[in-house]
Amino acid sequence: MATAAETSASEPEAESKAGPKADGEEDEVKAARTRRKVLSRAVAAATYKTMGPAWDQQEEGVSESDGDEYAMASSAESSPGEYEWEYDEEEEKNQLEIERLEEQLSINVYDYNCHVDLIRLLRLEGELTKVRMARQKMSEIFPLTEELWLEWLHDEISMAQDGLDREHVYDLFEKAVKDYICPNIWLEYGQYSVGGIGQKGGLEKVRSVFERALSSVGLHMTKGLALWEAYREFESAIVEAARPVAGFLSPFDREQTFDSQLEKVHSLFRRQLAIPLYDMEATFAEYEEWSEDPIPESVIQNYNKALQQLEKYKPYEEALLQAEAPRLAEYQAYIDFEMKIGDPARIQLIFERALVENCLVPDLWIRYSQYLDRQLKVKDLVLSVHNRAIRNCPWTVALWSRYLLAMERHGVDHQVISVTFEKALNAGFIQATDYVEIWQAYLDYLRRRVDFKQDSSKELEELRAAFTRALEYLKQEVEERFNESGDPSCVIMQNWARIEARLCNNMQKARELWDSIMTRGNAKYANMWLEYYNLERAHGDTQHCRKALHRAVQCTSDYPEHVCEVLLTMERTEGSLEDWDIAVQKTETRLARVNEQRMKAAEKEAALVQQEEEKAEQRKRARAEKKALKKKKKIRGPEKRGADEDDEKEWGDDEEEQPSKRRRVENSIPAAGETQNVEVAAGPAGKCAAVDVEPPSKQKEKAASLKRDMPKVLHDSSKDSITVFVSNLPYSMQEPDTKLRPLFEACGEVVQIRPIFSNRGDFRGYCYVEFKEEKSALQALEMDRKSVEGRPMFVSPCVDKSKNPDFKVFRYSTSLEKHKLFISGLPFSCTKEELEEICKAHGTVKDLRLVTNRAGKPKGLAYVEYENESQASQAVMKMDGMTIKENIIKVAISNPPQRKVPEKPETRKAPGGPMLLPQTYGARGKGRTQLSLLPRALQRPSAAAPQAENGPAAAPAVAAPAATEAPKMSNADFAKLFLRK
């Protein structure tokens, strides 16, 4: 997108001083001088034509040559170069690409990148007619950036031949200045209009364009100066051109022409000096030099006031100059500042400047349109901004809803609003609920058009037809695309039923609608029945209220007690004895059945818990048996050991790792006839072989010396800001310091790499990397997930967990991201390059991440980030259900579930109560249910209070009788207790 901070050819020197100089600054200065030269000569030619017939012959030549020179100057920067094709195959390749792009646009006309590529290729091929049509089609759907508009305008200016062509260029300029507020386009517009000054009404046209430009961007603190200077140069050129002719005029005519023209230049200087702009001091000095009379005191006062205002605005402007695009945070701060001051013109300008770089941020458009709707309330301005908002972010339903409200608020024709709504349905929303929202907005608008005092009207029939169409659209179009209607609670049908009951007095239609609502899976919810009951209560009769509650008692499954209570309350106040008896009978029967179902569910849950416990017990026994068998094999191992060297070496390695077990084996072998340091091992023929074994005392000394020789890694917590923690490295990595240093030296100077080793000297897979500067450590964090010897290396900040126990490192968002896709079902053999090739056909891929486990193996999942929400929504529609290497993938907008935060193991304090200790669970953790599975009949009071530290505890006031120990019960006995009534 175009940026508001790009340096233009006529930008003031103050802005150049504030920011870095552009590479082509000398070329820009030359281009500005050429424009001014052309401007002066064109103005002079037009003035001579108006004032003196003696200049007719000279003027024609000057005007034509100046027109050509201006066309060359204005299109010098962007006119297409002369391409010489050496091979016909490249032309053929471009033609095939053009055909492909045209076919793609016939399928999806909202593909922004496809439009841009097609225009570029057509312009490259010199297809002037086709490129003009392609630009027109794109401008009808999308607002064009500043670069695209300037390129189009320069091409049309270079091809303009006569007055009709000039009018066509004027029309293009008018469209261009409506898309975005761009000072460069306004400057081009003003300078191009100077070329038509010799035509009828040309002078008024130029002044009109410049005045509109100043109203639009004249307050722009960094780029507004160029427009003021261009306008002033134009008026000064007219003054200079009028000087030679003034001597031939009468005193009265001289006063009317020359003096009035001088006053126009004075007025421009005074207006400019009253506005805070960069390089105001140079403008004031220029005015002093230009003016023959002293500068009035009022002008000096306004100038000093503007300088004071400039100092207030400078911090925000400098923040914009120093930041990188899109600079949304800086613009938001600037907007807040302007909103506090409250100048509508400046507020509008800063919003427009921010939108040039952040045109795809829906929240910014919403805030801008909301300000215009509530504060300015100017019809043309408000509707224009709303229109531009939906063209920039067509996937945002809130912008469409606000646009419909704004058009209704300003009395736009009903046909126009209906057409806008149809466009909204084709905008390609991302969620099914978005379609429900836009339908609700349109149905609310249609409802407000109806005069319900009449029994029947055209508007009422249109409203009912719209309700019917909405239900069919959600059922067919939306449900087919999203596998859901987006309206599970049938909100649209509920609204329709309320309108029929309350406004149309058609309770029969309302009952039919509620019957349809209940048949769509809502009959089990108590709140739905109570909503229907309240509608019958307000607009129906008692009979239908009773009927609705009786049905609710039978069908409700979430809160049946509440529905039963409402039924009994109604019968208590209005019903007869017979009605009361029926209600009591039905509610008791229903509640008994509900309690029975709940008891069965509890029994089933208890059975599942018991099964889980039995399975856990079996697993526990199996592990114990396996462990005992393994221990037995290790004890019997020396008797069966052979003389094979490999086996002996392996056994020796194992013994070195477990010296305590080796000592137990030695002590279990008879020592008769053996020395202390010789162990008897059985050979393959049953003969014994002597193996040297160190005594236990020497083994302890060896282990202690090994531990002493191991270098201790000391960590200085004061250097956490310049240190990163690296983990998930391969345990088999030899010399981690040597292998990791080249990787991290790319981020900055590495002071030290501290790998962590075990007591035996094995690398434990993680280390600390200390840098000299903090920025190097921050840059090193970007190496997270980089593959090292086939495993993803984890790089995270160095944080002391004892001081920050809640610190967690998760670099990815866990909320809804409408511009990012989640892809599942990918084949494990799919590479990042292959998936990127598939995804980039639907838009610009900013990032793609294949999800892997800690060993670096793919999990068949991926996240794909697109440039904007529109491309992401298009990719979902095209890629969901696609087959990749015989795997059918699923594609959806990224919306991961909330990450579970473990409960802090701190003591909790109940409200108004004492401190509560954290709840403890068994070895298997917390069970599925917290129900007590021990019947109350078998429950016994807890053990007696523990004995005091220095003697027996104090005896209780009443001694409890000693409880006899209950006999042990089997699972069958427990089951009988549960089933006993």
Side-chain angles (χ1 to χ4, degrees):
M1 281 294 164
T3 60
E6 291 177 355
T7 308
S8 66
S10 304
E11 200 162 4
E13 293 180 5
E15 185 177 358
S16 300
K17 294 177 181 178
K21 293 186 178 181
D23 295 336
E25 185 175 354
E26 296 182 359
D27 296 336
E28 292 180 358
V29 172
K30 292 180 181 178
R33 290 175 180 173
T34 305
R35 289 193 184 99
R36 292 188 181 183
K37 179 182 177 182
V38 172
L39 183 68
S40 302
R41 294 177 62 185
V43 171
T47 307
Y48 295 158
K49 181 176 182 180
T50 306
M51 296 183 177
W55 300 93
D56 283 347
Q57 296 178 356
Q58 182 181 0
E59 161 232 347
E60 256 182 34
V62 172
S63 178
E64 292 177 2
S65 62
D66 286 332
D68 296 338
E69 187 174 354
Y70 172 76
M72 292 174 61
S74 62
S75 62
E77 296 177 0
S78 65
S79 61
E82 298 178 359
Y83 298 96
E84 297 180 358
W85 302 105
E86 297 181 3
Y87 303 101
D88 293 337
E89 293 142 7
E90 196 159 353
E91 291 184 9
E92 185 177 354
K93 181 180 178 182
N94 286 342
Q95 289 297 332
L96 291 175
E97 181 66 12
I98 289 172
E99 293 176 2
R100 188 191 69 80
L101 293 172
E102 290 176 345
E103 183 180 357
Q104 181 70 19
L105 288 175
S106 65
I107 299 173
N108 179 20
V109 74
Y110 289 98
D111 193 333
Y112 184 90
N113 294 326
C114 196
H115 282 283
V116 175
D117 294 339
L118 179 61
I119 292 172
R120 178 181 57 80
L121 286 176
L122 290 175
R123 190 169 182 266
L124 200 62
E125 291 292 318
E127 300 283 351
L128 301 181
T129 304
K130 289 185 177 181
V131 74
R132 180 179 291 174
M133 292 176 60
R135 283 166 168 165
Q136 289 175 351
K137 288 181 180 179
M138 184 178 181
S139 65
E140 292 172 0
I141 302 172
F142 298 105
L144 304 187
T145 63
E146 180 180 358
E147 292 86 352
L148 291 175
W149 270 120
L150 289 176
E151 182 183 80
W152 188 0
L153 290 167
H154 291 159
D155 289 347
E156 295 292 344
I157 289 172
S158 63
M159 294 186 294
Q161 300 292 333
D162 51 17
L164 293 177
D165 291 339
R166 179 170 287 275
E167 290 298 325
H168 172 66
V169 175
Y170 283 154
D171 293 339
L172 282 182
F173 270 114
E174 290 296 330
K175 292 180 180 178
V177 296
K178 290 179 181 178
D179 276 355
Y180 299 109
I181 303 300
C182 299
N184 293 340
I185 295 179
W186 275 112
L187 187 61
E188 290 284 342
Y189 193 7
Q191 292 173 343
Y192 179 73
S193 63
V194 173
I197 195 173
Q199 299 179 351
K200 183 179 180 181
L203 184 60
E204 290 75 11
K205 173 72 175 178
V206 176
R207 286 174 174 162
S208 172
V209 170
F210 273 115
E211 287 294 337
R212 289 171 56 202
L214 293 181
S215 300
S216 179
V217 292
L219 297 177
H220 197 300
M221 295 190 64
T222 56
K223 293 191 175 184
L225 181 64
L227 281 165
W228 285 101
E229 288 186 345
Y231 192 10
R232 206 170 58 246
E233 287 288 339
F234 167 74
E235 296 292 354
S236 299
I238 293 180
V239 171
E240 295 299 326
R243 287 183 186 275
V245 186
F248 298 98
L249 301 177
S250 62
F252 177 78
D253 291 338
R254 185 186 304 113
E255 183 179 356
Q256 290 294 320
T257 56
F258 188 72
D259 295 344
S260 63
Q261 188 59 38
L262 281 177
E263 183 59 30
K264 284 186 173 62
V265 180
H266 277 288
S267 176
L268 285 175
F269 268 116
R270 293 167 185 171
R271 289 167 57 190
Q272 180 180 350
L273 291 174
I275 298 173
L277 297 172
Y278 272 34
D279 205 17
M280 292 185 63
E281 297 83 355
T283 304
F284 185 79
E286 183 181 353
Y287 185 30
E288 285 182 323
E289 182 181 354
W290 182 85
S291 177
E292 297 177 356
D293 301 325
I295 299 178
E297 186 64 26
S298 60
V299 176
I300 298 176
Q301 291 179 357
N302 291 334
Y303 167 70
N304 292 329
K305 185 178 179 180
L307 280 177
Q308 294 176 358
Q309 292 178 346
L310 179 63
E311 293 302 319
K312 297 179 181 179
Y313 287 110
K314 267 187 177 181
Y316 298 95
E317 292 291 343
E318 291 174 356
L320 290 175
L321 290 173
Q322 294 172 3
E324 296 181 358
R327 302 178 283 194
L328 181 59
E330 289 76 14
Y331 276 119
Q332 292 282 17
Y334 206 160
I335 290 172
D336 294 338
F337 174 73
E338 291 286 10
M339 295 282 273
K340 291 179 181 178
I341 296 178
D343 186 351
R346 299 197 66 89
I347 293 174
Q348 182 185 353
L349 177 62
I350 191 58
F351 268 116
E352 294 290 351
R353 290 177 61 184
L355 287 169
V356 170
E357 299 184 27
N358 300 276
C359 59
L360 299 179
V361 180
D363 292 341
L364 191 58
W365 284 107
I366 290 175
R367 187 179 181 186
Y368 186 24
S369 59
Q370 183 176 338
Y371 168 76
L372 295 178
D373 287 333
R374 296 179 180 178
Q375 302 296 329
L376 295 187
K377 302 180 181 180
V378 180
K379 177 180 178 181
D380 294 338
L381 177 60
V382 169
L383 295 182
S384 172
V385 170
H386 278 288
N387 191 323
R388 291 161 54 205
I390 61 171
R391 293 179 67 202
N392 279 277
C393 306
W395 61 88
T396 307
V397 66
L399 295 175
W400 288 97
S401 301
R402 290 173 175 272
Y403 191 18
L404 294 177
L405 289 172
M407 287 193 290
E408 181 185 2
R409 195 177 293 118
H410 291 282
V412 178
D413 184 66
H414 170 63
Q415 189 64 29
V416 177
I417 297 178
S418 299
V419 171
T420 304
F421 169 71
E422 296 297 332
K423 290 181 180 178
L425 291 180
N426 297 322
F429 298 133
I430 298 175
Q431 298 177 342
T433 53
D434 293 344
Y435 289 93
V436 178
E437 183 177 345
I438 194 64
W439 269 110
Q440 281 184 304
Y442 184 58
L443 292 170
D444 292 345
Y445 157 70
L446 294 179
R447 194 264 308 164
R448 289 189 285 266
R449 295 182 67 244
V450 179
D451 184 7
F452 290 100
K453 296 180 181 179
Q454 303 178 9
D455 294 337
S456 179
S457 63
K458 179 181 177 182
E459 289 80 8
L460 180 58
E461 295 304 321
E462 184 179 1
L463 174 62
R464 286 172 172 163
F467 269 114
T468 304
R469 184 190 167 202
L471 298 178
E472 293 177 354
Y473 186 90
L474 293 177
K475 184 177 181 181
Q476 297 176 4
E477 301 290 337
V478 178
E479 193 166 351
E480 180 181 352
R481 176 181 169 188
F482 296 98
N483 295 325
E484 59 169 328
S485 66
D487 191 14
S489 300
C490 301
V491 176
I492 291 180
M493 292 182 71
Q494 290 188 47
N495 292 336
W496 190 4
R498 293 189 193 99
I499 291 173
E500 293 289 351
R502 297 176 183 176
L503 301 178
C504 300
N505 298 319
N506 188 356
M507 197 62 200
Q508 183 61 33
K509 180 64 176 178
R511 294 186 184 111
E512 293 176 2
L513 290 170
W514 268 105
D515 286 340
S516 179
I517 291 172
M518 293 304 180
T519 57
R520 299 192 179 193
N522 294 299
K524 58 185 177 181
Y525 300 117
N527 65 322
M528 300 296 288
W529 284 108
L530 295 179
E531 185 71 26
Y532 176 33
Y533 165 74
N534 291 330
L535 189 67
E536 282 285 1
R537 193 79 172 164
H539 306 284
D541 50 46
T542 305
Q543 181 181 357
H544 284 91
C545 288
R546 182 176 292 112
K547 183 179 178 181
L549 289 177
H550 283 180
R551 292 175 61 191
V553 168
Q554 298 299 324
C555 300
T556 303
S557 61
D558 55 350
Y559 299 104
E561 295 88 353
H562 189 36
V563 175
C564 293
E565 184 181 352
V566 173
L567 175 59
L568 293 175
T569 302
M570 188 192 77
E571 298 298 357
R572 181 177 284 112
T573 56
E574 299 182 17
S576 62
L577 177 60
E578 182 180 0
D579 295 331
W580 171 260
D581 291 339
I582 294 174
V584 170
Q585 182 181 358
K586 286 193 173 184
T587 54
E588 288 180 351
T589 304
R590 175 58 178 164
L591 291 178
R593 188 163 62 249
V594 169
N595 290 333
E596 183 179 356
Q597 291 173 354
R598 290 174 179 171
M599 181 68 70
K600 289 182 179 180
E603 292 176 1
K604 187 176 180 180
E605 182 73 15
L608 290 174
V609 171
Q610 185 176 353
Q611 291 177 6
E612 289 294 330
E613 290 180 352
E614 291 176 356
K615 291 180 180 179
E617 189 66 26
Q618 291 176 1
R619 289 193 296 267
K620 186 176 180 181
R621 285 197 299 268
R623 286 196 298 268
E625 292 175 358
K626 188 176 180 180
K627 186 176 181 181
L629 182 61
K630 187 177 180 181
K631 185 177 181 181
K632 187 176 180 181
K633 288 182 179 180
K634 288 184 178 180
I635 294 175
R636 296 176 56 188
E639 299 177 0
K640 298 182 179 180
R641 213 182 319 158
D644 184 52
E645 293 182 358
D646 296 336
D647 292 343
E648 184 179 350
K649 181 177 181 181
E650 183 179 355
W651 176 260
D653 291 342
D654 191 30
E655 284 184 342
E656 287 182 6
E657 294 178 3
Q658 301 178 358
S660 60
K661 291 185 179 181
R662 182 177 61 246
R663 287 197 298 273
R664 287 198 296 269
V665 172
E666 292 171 354
N667 295 333
S668 65
I669 298 174
E674 299 174 1
T675 58
Q676 190 178 3
N677 59 347
V678 175
E679 183 178 345
V680 178
K687 299 180 180 180
C688 294
V691 180
D692 290 340
V693 177
E694 295 179 351
S697 58
K698 291 186 178 181
Q699 293 172 3
K700 289 183 180 180
E701 293 177 1
K702 184 177 181 181
S705 63
L706 181 63
K707 192 172 183 179
R708 285 194 304 268
D709 295 340
M710 190 63 58
K712 295 183 179 180
V713 178
L714 300 178
H715 177 65
D716 186 359
S717 59
S718 63
K719 298 182 180 180
D720 284 350
S721 60
I722 58 174
T723 306
V724 296
F725 178 68
V726 183
S727 59
N728 202 43
L729 295 168
Y731 294 155
S732 60
M733 179 179 286
Q734 301 295 328
E735 298 182 359
D737 188 348
T738 306
K739 292 189 177 181
L740 294 178
R741 186 174 292 273
L743 289 176
F744 287 98
E745 283 182 344
C747 304
E749 184 178 349
V750 177
V751 177
Q752 184 183 17
I753 295 180
R754 301 190 294 275
I756 308 301
F757 296 91
S758 66
N759 290 337
R760 301 200 320 267
D762 298 330
F763 179 50
R764 300 184 62 182
Y766 60 92
C767 66
Y768 296 90
V769 181
E770 180 184 334
F771 292 91
K772 187 175 181 179
E773 298 179 351
E774 184 176 354
K775 65 178 182 180
S776 301
L778 296 176
Q779 187 177 351
L781 295 177
E782 299 178 1
M783 298 179 65
D784 187 35
R785 298 298 197 275
K786 183 179 179 64
S787 179
V788 176
E789 294 188 4
R791 290 174 64 92
M793 174 180 65
F794 298 164
V795 184
S796 58
C798 187
V799 177
D800 188 355
K801 291 294 185 68
S802 61
K803 298 179 181 178
N804 299 279
D806 298 333
F807 180 79
K808 295 288 183 182
V809 178
F810 191 73
R811 56 182 296 194
Y812 304 108
S813 173
T814 58
S815 59
L816 175 65
E817 296 178 284
K818 295 185 177 181
H819 66 289
K820 186 181 291 187
L821 304 184
F822 173 68
I823 304 177
S824 59
L826 289 168
F828 294 155
S829 60
C830 182
T831 63
K832 181 178 180 180
E833 291 73 18
E834 292 173 347
L835 184 59
E836 185 175 7
E837 189 67 25
I838 296 172
C839 295
K840 71 180 183 181
H842 309 289
T844 303
V845 177
K846 294 182 64 178
D847 187 28
L848 189 150
R849 176 169 63 94
L850 289 177
V851 182
T852 61
N853 58 18
R854 295 181 68 89
K857 304 297 182 182
K859 299 174 68 174
L861 308 175
Y863 289 91
V864 182
E865 182 180 355
Y866 280 94
E867 193 171 26
N868 53 55
E869 298 176 17
S870 177
Q871 295 178 2
S873 62
Q874 295 296 326
V876 171
M877 290 187 293
K878 300 293 183 183
M879 294 176 60
D880 189 28
M882 178 185 291
T883 302
I884 299 179
K885 295 183 180 180
E886 301 182 357
N887 283 37
I888 298 177
I889 65 172
K890 293 182 179 180
V891 184
I893 297 297
S894 176
N895 188 14
Q898 293 293 327
R899 294 174 62 86
K900 294 183 180 180
V901 180
E903 187 177 359
K904 296 181 180 179
E906 301 173 356
T907 57
R908 300 178 297 276
K909 186 174 182 179
M915 296 293 291
L916 300 177
L917 293 176
Q919 188 172 0
T920 58
Y921 306 105
R924 290 175 284 104
K926 185 176 180 181
R928 290 190 178 181
T929 176
Q930 297 306 301
L931 297 176
S932 176
L933 299 181
L934 185 66
R936 285 200 230 19
L938 298 179
Q939 289 182 359
R940 294 289 180 267
S942 59
Q947 189 176 12
E949 185 178 1
N950 296 323
V958 179
T964 59
E965 183 178 357
K968 295 183 179 179
M969 301 182 67
S970 64
N971 293 335
D973 295 331
F974 274 106
K976 289 179 182 179
L977 287 173
F978 277 118
L979 297 176
R980 186 182 300 166
K981 296 184 179 179

